[in-house]
Amino acid sequence: MSALLLCAFIGYFMFAVEKPTPVETVQKQTLKKEEVLPEKPQPKWQYEEFLPSKEVTVDIPEEPKNTRPYQMQCGSFKRQEDAESLKARIAFQGLKSIVKKTGTWYRVILGPYERKRLAEKDRHKLQRAKINGRQIWYWR
């Protein structure tokens, strides 16, 4: 029954609704005029004559030299075996680290580094090896 109603509904719209009449498009005739471009102007720059006689001075402030070295701490453990294990993982990345006992903690430290950028370079090596928990400080 519903299929019959659906067919009747579609048939009604197909034949009862008026179809729009197509719109005729009118093409305009365009006249092409050849435009003559004006002659390209010659640039008149004055700086070419004045520049060789001018002198420019720039004051560059000197960066203060850092006298303190940097260190990178990769971990701090209660057990020395854990610290030695991390030291071995770091050694597989081609870096030399030390295990330093401070109180009851065993810290795994790389360095000293002359500049922080050098420490950051090694930090990225360790990051690619998925060795996390790295911090860069001044050497103590």
Side-chain angles (χ1 to χ4, degrees):
M1 180 73 173
S2 62
L4 184 61
L5 287 174
L6 182 63
C7 288
F9 185 71
I10 292 173
Y12 172 76
F13 277 106
M14 286 178 61
F15 297 109
V17 178
E18 290 185 27
K19 296 181 177 92
T21 58
V23 179
E24 295 179 21
T25 58
V26 179
Q27 294 181 353
K28 291 184 178 180
Q29 293 181 353
T30 57
L31 298 174
K32 292 185 180 179
K33 294 181 180 178
E34 289 187 28
E35 294 183 23
V36 178
L37 294 176
E39 190 174 316
K40 183 177 176 182
Q42 294 297 322
K44 296 177 183 175
W45 303 107
Q46 296 176 355
Y47 73 90
E48 294 175 340
E49 296 143 9
F50 295 120
L51 204 58
S53 64
K54 297 291 181 181
E55 185 175 321
V56 178
T57 58
V58 179
D59 293 332
I60 300 175
E62 289 188 26
E63 286 187 27
K65 299 286 183 181
N66 186 13
T67 57
R68 296 176 63 187
Y70 289 93
Q71 71 177 3
M72 180 171 27
Q73 180 175 325
C74 295
S76 183
F77 302 96
K78 284 279 189 179
R79 294 182 18 206
Q80 185 175 5
E81 295 84 27
D82 295 335
E84 293 293 336
S85 172
L86 181 60
K87 180 181 176 180
R89 286 179 56 200
I90 292 171
F92 280 122
Q93 300 308 313
L95 302 172
K96 186 178 178 184
S97 61
I98 59 171
V99 176
K100 188 176 184 183
K101 184 174 182 181
T102 55
T104 60
W105 292 91
Y106 294 94
R107 298 181 348 171
V108 181
I109 298 173
L110 277 78
Y113 294 100
E114 198 173 297
R115 296 186 325 258
K116 189 172 183 179
R117 185 169 297 261
L118 296 173
E120 289 287 341
K121 182 179 172 185
D122 286 348
R123 181 180 184 180
H124 291 298
K125 273 187 189 178
L126 295 175
Q127 186 176 8
R128 285 190 294 271
K130 296 185 174 44
I131 298 174
N132 298 318
R134 305 155 316 272
Q135 294 294 324
I136 298 173
W137 295 307
Y138 286 116
W139 186 265
R140 297 186 218 178

